[in-house]
Amino acid sequence: MLLSIRWNLDETVKDCSGQPVYGSCRLVAPGALLISLNVQIVGDVPIARSTAAHELGHAVFDAPAWFSGAAQPTPAAPRRVFGAPERYRREASDWSEWRANEFMGSFLAPRRLLHGELLRLAPACGVPLVKGRFSNEPPVAANCPELPLLFDALGDAFGLTPSFISVRLAKYDLIALSRPREG
């Protein structure tokens, strides 16, 4: 089956309870998906990029099941996956949301590229490089007060927010768990 994906930046995207959300991915016809971003609340470019990548993750991983018979929603009652602003996300994310978030993070800041930039930028930010958890891996960033400077520099390099970078570095084990000893 041929899959087509269209992007929509013109509608106000809301969840089933009428709350505004960052984006959605929905089946609009057999083999046709519509990914919508709520530009009114997404706002700046880093958040728009991460929302778009998150919704693309739903298209890549969730949509195939929508086309497989029993799990397939009808166009009259489309399956929607919503990206909710954090203030609406009180409960734990389900598998689909976790997977879309991991896709987004890996797509926008792949481990190998992020590690390479970390190795390049850490010295200029005053962040020492230390041995990681595994002896066969290149060094990682030391847990030190200068880390926010590195988060900013890496955020600029990848077009992402410093908080996004800090999460990816932690997930990839690219920050030492403890602070280096002084002296």
Side-chain angles (χ1 to χ4, degrees):
M1 169 183 265
L2 184 62
L3 172 66
S4 72
I5 299 175
R6 289 184 297 138
W7 292 83
N8 178 3
L9 305 176
D10 296 327
E11 76 175 275
T12 301
V13 186
K14 296 182 179 182
D15 67 12
C16 298
S17 66
Q19 296 294 327
V21 294
Y22 290 154
S24 72
C25 177
R26 64 182 163 171
L27 181 69
V28 293
L33 298 174
L34 178 65
I35 297 176
S36 300
L37 300 185
N38 192 345
V39 295
Q40 296 169 348
I41 63 171
V42 167
D44 63 6
V45 172
I47 301 299
R49 290 178 70 220
S50 62
T51 302
H54 175 93
E55 297 304 333
L56 183 60
H58 285 302
V60 168
F61 294 108
D62 299 329
W66 303 345
F67 305 136
S68 66
Q72 182 177 354
T74 63
R79 165 78 166 100
R80 296 180 68 124
V81 176
F82 297 101
E86 289 305 314
R87 67 180 183 269
Y88 298 122
R89 191 171 290 173
R90 303 285 185 239
E91 69 285 346
S93 292
D94 64 17
W95 168 249
S96 175
E97 290 301 311
W98 179 86
R99 184 174 51 199
N101 281 335
E102 286 304 304
F103 173 85
M104 166 197 59
S106 297
F107 184 80
L108 295 176
R111 186 184 195 285
R112 182 176 289 177
L113 295 177
L114 186 58
H115 196 185
E117 283 299 292
L118 177 150
L119 296 174
R120 186 178 74 79
L121 295 172
C125 296
V127 175
L129 297 172
V130 297
K131 185 176 180 178
R133 287 189 343 182
F134 305 105
S135 60
N136 61 340
E137 290 189 344
V140 298
N143 186 355
C144 65
E146 292 78 20
L147 271 179
L149 297 172
L150 181 60
F151 298 158
D152 288 341
L154 289 167
D156 290 345
F158 283 86
L160 300 167
T161 64
S163 61
F164 186 104
I165 293 296
S166 70
V167 168
R168 295 321 301 173
L169 291 173
K171 284 185 176 279
Y172 295 150
D173 288 326
L174 296 177
I175 300 173
L177 297 176
S178 61
R179 290 189 179 206
R181 294 179 193 234
E182 305 239 350

